Amino acid sequence: MGTITTTDGTEIFYKDWGSGQPLVFSHGWPLSADDWDTQLLFFLQHGYRVVAHDRRGHGRSTQTSDGHDMDHYADDLAALTEHLDLRDAVHIGHSTGGGEVVHYIARHGESRVAKAVLISAVPPIMVQTEANPGGLPKEVFDGLQEQVATNRSNFYRDLAANQFYGFNRPGREPSEAIIENWWRQGMMGGAKAHYDGIVAFSQTDFTEDLKKITVPTLVMHGDDDQVVPYADSAPLSAELLQNSTLKTYAGFPHGMPTTEAATINADLLEFLRS
């Protein structure tokens, strides 16, 4: 574990374990590298080098007041890959992290990248626009920002206990440990970063970024995702990518890397070895 300092003075915390082909994990909003611990340990045991960082303003990275946009997220990821001299890397992003991965590859090129994986990811664009009529109304995201600004602790607890992991669905037993771990990670980060990050993940249009990517890309999404609705995300991204495989999971929630880790890890491993 260590830190790097970016050109604007932001300290980025990261974990770097093992050796072998590097797998680089980008986490979702408003979490941290800890959200990937199950994957990090699994792939470490399968002979991979695993790297995960806390996005600026999140987790143990600097709670900077600005730079909470996809350009900075992508540039921070590029700085990390260059600092660690990662080559032939597989970039894996969940939710907002999927947008970060897409923008990083499109913005910085594929010379260090072997493959990519988008899990429950926000591209092509979440917010409703004339060009994206199936998106969510901007008022939805304005409401999220209001909750972060006025009621962050309760909001994070409620989101983890309900839509994020699908614990609000009939027959699903909530896990208090998972809920508390989500809340813990969220509250470690900065309120300003999380507030601004809502605009970054909801309003960034990744359409042109997706078109530029040529490396093999696995798109994984649950059809019961209540945070990033399936129909307006994964199938559209898979269409725009030049070399994609779409894998749809019946009934899986947004937080499926945690609640459905055994399935997700096995499918990831198969893609890595293919």
Side-chain angles (χ1 to χ4, degrees):
M1 293 188 284
T3 62
I4 63 163
T5 302
T6 65
T7 53
D8 68 355
T10 301
E11 265 198 2
I12 302 294
F13 170 92
Y14 67 90
K15 308 177 187 187
D16 178 12
W17 303 338
S19 58
Q21 185 180 20
L23 310 182
V24 186
F25 294 85
S26 292
H27 64 78
W29 176 97
L31 303 170
S32 74
D34 293 355
D35 202 45
W36 288 113
D37 280 350
T38 302
Q39 281 71 39
L40 299 184
L41 292 172
F42 176 85
F43 288 104
L44 183 65
Q45 291 163 5
H46 282 82
Y48 291 91
R49 178 181 180 182
V50 293
V51 177
H53 67 293
D54 291 354
R55 188 171 298 119
R56 63 169 54 214
H58 296 62
R60 291 139 293 206
S61 293
T62 304
Q63 290 194 17
T64 180
S65 66
D66 53 14
H68 307 298
D69 55 70
M70 283 294 163
D71 285 352
H72 280 86
Y73 296 167
D75 292 350
D76 292 347
L77 181 54
L80 178 63
T81 60
E82 288 163 17
H83 173 76
L84 298 176
D85 195 25
L86 303 178
R87 299 181 185 277
D88 194 34
V90 180
H91 282 268
I92 302 164
H94 176 244
S95 194
T96 299
E100 178 178 285
V101 165
V102 165
H103 200 52
Y104 159 72
I105 296 173
R107 187 172 169 88
H108 292 276
E110 299 180 339
S111 63
R112 294 177 177 269
V113 181
K115 294 181 178 182
V117 181
L118 309 180
I119 306 176
S120 311
V122 298
I125 180 173
M126 284 197 72
V127 73
Q128 187 179 68
T129 64
E130 281 188 25
N132 184 45
L136 296 170
K138 183 176 178 293
E139 290 75 27
V140 171
F141 303 106
D142 293 343
L144 299 182
Q145 285 190 304
E146 183 180 357
Q147 293 274 18
V148 168
T150 61
N151 196 27
R152 190 165 71 124
S153 181
N154 283 340
F155 171 48
Y156 287 178
R157 181 70 171 67
D158 289 346
L159 186 57
N162 290 283
Q163 296 96 328
F164 199 91
Y165 295 112
F167 290 145
N168 57 339
R169 294 306 197 203
R172 284 187 67 89
E173 187 67 33
S175 165
E176 195 60 36
I178 288 175
I179 294 165
E180 289 182 4
N181 189 44
W182 200 99
W183 179 90
R184 173 192 68 84
Q185 291 179 72
M187 295 306 293
M188 282 170 65
K192 179 65 161 56
H194 295 170
Y195 184 89
D196 293 351
I198 292 168
V199 173
F201 76 65
S202 67
Q203 295 186 29
T204 302
D205 188 344
F206 300 96
T207 300
E208 295 306 314
D209 289 344
L210 289 160
K211 291 177 183 178
K212 293 177 183 176
I213 296 172
T214 66
V215 296
T217 304
L218 177 62
V219 181
M220 313 169 83
H221 217 108
D223 68 3
D224 193 33
D225 191 322
Q226 299 173 70
V227 177
V228 180
Y230 173 82
D232 199 53
S233 53
L236 304 184
S237 290
E239 250 181 63
L240 290 163
L241 289 158
Q242 296 184 43
N243 188 3
S244 69
T245 301
L246 174 62
K247 203 159 182 62
T248 304
Y249 297 87
F252 280 20
H254 186 67
M256 64 186 190
T258 298
T259 58
E260 310 293 342
T263 299
I264 299 304
N265 290 353
D267 288 350
L268 274 174
L269 186 61
E270 182 182 354
F271 175 67
L272 295 175
R273 289 175 169 173
S274 65

